[in-house]
Amino acid sequence: MTIQKDAYRRFQEELAALDQKQEADAGKPTGATRMARAREDFLELCKRYDLSVADVVAFFPEEDGIGYLQGLIAARDARPRRGRKPKASP
C-alpha cells in the first residue's frame, strides 16, 4: 500500500500537534503515564488512518522497525497463557 503524500503530511501534522499538546500540559507526568498516553494517541492515529503493522513499520528506519516488531512479539509472549478449566466431576 502506498500512502499518498497528503495523508502522510496530515499524519505528520497530527503527530506534531500531539507533541505540542503534551508540551503545553502543566506538570510533569511520570514516565509510565507519558508512555500510556503516547500509546493511546498512536493507536488512535492507526485506527483513524486504518494503518496496519506493515504501514507503521514502514515509517521507521529499518532498525527501529525491527525493534518495534520485536517489542510486539515480546509483549504477546509476556501475556500469561490461559489454562484449561478442570472438568467437572459428575
Side-chain angles (χ1 to χ4, degrees), residues 72-84:
L72 289 177
I73 292 168
R76 185 197 67 195
D77 292 342
R79 290 190 306 214
R81 295 190 181 234
R82 292 179 52 189
R84 292 186 179 192

Side-chain angles (χ1 to χ4, degrees), residues 1-3 11 42-43 45-60 68-69 72:
M1 175 181 132
T2 58
I3 298 177
F11 182 74
F42 178 73
L43 292 174
L45 287 173
C46 288
K47 185 185 290 185
R48 182 180 304 153
Y49 290 104
D50 193 32
L51 298 174
S52 68
V53 172
D55 296 329
V56 174
V57 172
F59 282 113
F60 295 116
Y68 177 75
L69 289 174
L72 289 177

Side-chain angles (χ1 to χ4, degrees), residues 11-80:
F11 182 74
Q12 291 296 324
E13 287 174 354
E14 289 188 23
L15 284 176
L18 288 173
D19 287 341
Q20 289 175 355
K21 180 180 174 186
Q22 287 178 348
E23 290 174 3
D25 289 342
K28 284 191 168 186
T30 64
T33 305
R34 285 193 317 249
M35 183 59 92
R37 184 174 182 132
R39 181 179 177 86
E40 289 173 12
D41 292 340
F42 178 73
L43 292 174
E44 181 182 321
L45 287 173
C46 288
K47 185 185 290 185
R48 182 180 304 153
Y49 290 104
D50 193 32
L51 298 174
S52 68
V53 172
D55 296 329
V56 174
V57 172
F59 282 113
F60 295 116
E62 186 175 343
E63 298 83 19
D64 293 339
I66 292 169
Y68 177 75
L69 289 174
Q70 289 173 337
L72 289 177
I73 292 168
R76 185 197 67 195
D77 292 342
R79 290 190 306 214

